[in-house]
Amino acid sequence: MSQRIIVITGASGGIAEEMIKRLPNEDGLILLGRSQEKLEDMYRHVENKTCIGLDITDREAVISVIDQIYLQYGRIDILVNNAGFGEFKTFDNYEFDEIEEMFDVNTLASIHFSRLIGKRMAEQGHGHIINIASMAGLIASAKSTIYSATKFAVIGFSNALRLELADKNVYVTTVNPGPIATKFFDKADPSGDYLKSVEKFTLKPDYVAKRIVKVMGKNKRELNLPFSLAATHKIYTLFPRLSDVMARKVFNYK
């Protein structure tokens, strides 16, 4: 199949922008974001694209857009759930609305897109769901209780979904990057102090995008970046008590 139909949520984000630069011209791209106008402006140079403004927390709108895509294109080959945001502060400083919004965007939207499109991928006999999670979903740290919880949930859902779709020739991959130098931190870390403190672990969006594009269409379970944090996750799993002490007293950068 020469042309792939690829749906990307959070398409106005830095990782999505870098991914789109690296995708073959023949791919058909459906780019979803809050503002269709912004998407059209960002990707005016991209030929095979459809930009759709969408509130991904609006369930009825999500269903309608997915139906619209299948009506127009007939299939979706790759889904990239890329939308998300974070706020880093102590557990007792979150408001109810903030918690619910973070789960709506980071977790529930990915779940709904994955299950609705995953069902159709299973029917068509192929597909690839790529859920952008986070190292925060594998390694807990202070001042990220809610963000970590949203990403732990995405990873857990993805791992179970992978098992259910394994016999349908549908792949499910979680991408778990450490901190990435994008506008994500404009909200998560307004002071810039955290990003500066983890500079040695910080990834460039073009590098992350390159790695994601490389695994598209491949049966890759997870992609953990960078190597140093991937190795840390192994230690975290093997020595949880020691890891808690280290995370609290040595690696607490927030």
Side-chain angles (χ1 to χ4, degrees), residues 154-220:
V154 168
I155 293 170
F157 168 80
S158 301
N159 288 344
L161 183 65
R162 183 184 302 111
L163 302 178
E164 294 193 35
L165 292 175
D167 295 333
K168 307 295 184 181
N169 198 35
V170 178
Y171 308 142
V172 179
T173 301
T174 56
V175 179
N176 305 308
I180 307 171
T182 66
K183 291 181 179 179
F184 170 90
F185 284 101
D186 291 352
K187 186 178 182 77
D189 177 39
S191 70
D193 293 340
Y194 169 68
L195 196 58
K196 185 177 180 180
S197 68
V198 295
E199 189 173 3
K200 60 185 175 182
F201 300 115
T202 302
L203 298 161
K204 299 294 184 183
D206 58 338
Y207 171 74
V208 177
K210 182 179 178 180
R211 295 291 303 274
I212 295 171
V213 169
K214 190 175 181 179
V215 304
M216 285 183 174
K218 297 179 181 178
N219 192 6
K220 179 79 172 176

Side-chain angles (χ1 to χ4, degrees), residues 96-114:
F96 282 97
D97 289 347
E98 292 175 317
I99 295 171
E100 290 172 7
E101 182 185 10
M102 210 181 301
F103 269 96
D104 282 342
V105 174
N106 293 2
T107 309
L108 295 179
S110 292
I111 288 174
H112 292 319
F113 270 99
S114 294

Side-chain angles (χ1 to χ4, degrees), residues 63-151:
I63 293 170
S64 176
V65 164
I66 291 173
D67 286 344
Q68 173 188 333
I69 292 169
Y70 275 95
L71 186 63
Q72 182 173 348
Y73 291 91
R75 71 180 196 278
I76 294 172
D77 300 305
I78 299 171
L79 164 67
V80 183
N81 279 309
N82 176 65
F85 75 97
E87 289 188 76
F88 298 147
K89 50 189 177 181
T90 58
F91 74 94
D92 53 344
N93 276 324
Y94 288 99
E95 300 294 336
F96 282 97
D97 289 347
E98 292 175 317
I99 295 171
E100 290 172 7
E101 182 185 10
M102 210 181 301
F103 269 96
D104 282 342
V105 174
N106 293 2
T107 309
L108 295 179
S110 292
I111 288 174
H112 292 319
F113 270 99
S114 294
R115 66 184 186 83
L116 293 170
I117 293 175
K119 179 181 179 181
R120 302 210 196 193
M121 286 180 170
E123 292 169 352
Q124 71 193 22
H126 77 275
H128 192 179
I129 297 170
I130 300 175
N131 288 329
I132 311 298
S134 172
M135 270 292 169
L138 295 175
I139 305 172
S141 62
K143 295 186 181 178
S144 62
T145 51
I146 306 306
Y147 181 70
S148 287
T150 67
K151 295 303 184 177

